[in-house]
Amino acid sequence: PVCDSHVGWTDRDTIGAHYHMVSSDRGPSIAYAATFNGEQDIYFLRFDVDCDGNGIADVDETADGSADDCNGNFVPDVCESDLDGDGLVHGCDSDVDNDGIPNELDVCLFAPLVGPSDDDGRPFSDTNRNCAVDLTDYARFRNCLAAGGPGVDAPPETCLSVFDYNDDGHVDLRDAAGFSVAFTGDP
């Protein structure tokens, strides 16, 4: 029903301003004032979160063990993301992007690698440090590959440190194959 702010002891249109919401592991709880019964009353609603839609509050089914909750966040594991497809939900997976670098050391936590990486999980050839080998890196690689040609300024030590995939002291067509895998994601 519609709330009539003129019913009751006040003649101001402010009854709808009296509400409060608190969230907990169960979900949101809301207290509000309304005139549904022809007088001013206080109402309370609690919405239990049920992410899997089985009719049981998530906090109840994780507490009683009827739903797995590997990270103890009161959300059933079936409702959380498995980012790398290894069967472990994000909060319980020590390597969410499956790159061999533990989460606590991985600076590119959600960037699965398709080529070699540094010890911190950053893709080799990520010259702009955005956790991806992209068009900026491609342009820099092309300059390094063409180094020595007219108008190409590419310091050899910089080129070798980020584009020498086979570590032979040269940036050449063999390195182009490694860069291609990192750039396209297609091995």
Side-chain angles (χ1 to χ4, degrees):
V2 176
C3 176
D4 182 353
S5 63
H6 298 287
V7 173
W9 61 270
T10 183
D11 59 356
R12 296 178 293 169
D13 294 332
T14 60
I15 191 169
H18 301 288
Y19 62 90
H20 187 69
M21 183 178 92
V22 175
S23 292
S24 70
D25 293 333
R26 296 196 74 83
S29 296
I30 302 168
Y32 65 99
T35 59
F36 301 141
N37 294 331
E39 60 187 19
Q40 292 180 1
D41 293 309
I42 303 295
Y43 294 87
F44 176 79
L45 296 170
R46 184 179 78 202
F47 298 95
D48 288 338
V49 176
D50 179 18
C51 70
D52 56 4
N54 65 359
I56 303 169
D58 295 344
V59 69
D60 292 337
E61 63 182 331
T62 56
D64 71 13
S66 61
D68 292 332
D69 180 20
C70 67
N71 54 7
N73 66 352
F74 303 107
V75 177
D77 292 347
V78 299
C79 299
E80 295 195 69
S81 299
D82 175 10
L83 299 175
D84 60 1
D86 65 358
L88 298 171
V89 300
H90 173 163
C92 303
D93 192 343
S94 62
D95 183 13
V96 298
D97 59 1
N98 204 22
D99 64 358
I101 311 291
N103 295 341
E104 62 272 7
L105 301 176
D106 197 339
V107 298
C108 297
L109 190 58
F110 298 105
L113 293 175
V114 293
S117 73
D118 297 337
D119 291 339
D120 62 0
R122 186 175 304 287
F124 192 62
S125 299
D126 177 19
T127 63
N128 56 354
R129 304 186 61 75
N130 66 351
C131 294
V133 178
D134 57 17
L135 287 174
T136 299
D137 304 311
Y138 172 78
R140 291 174 179 165
F141 176 74
R142 195 182 73 202
N143 284 347
C144 285
L145 191 60
V152 177
D153 182 21
E157 63 279 354
T158 302
C159 290
L160 292 176
S161 69
V162 295
F163 297 123
D164 187 11
Y165 278 80
N166 60 358
D167 202 25
D168 67 354
H170 306 305
V171 176
D172 52 28
L173 290 177
R174 289 184 186 132
D175 300 309
F179 182 84
S180 176
V181 168
F183 182 69
T184 65
D186 189 16

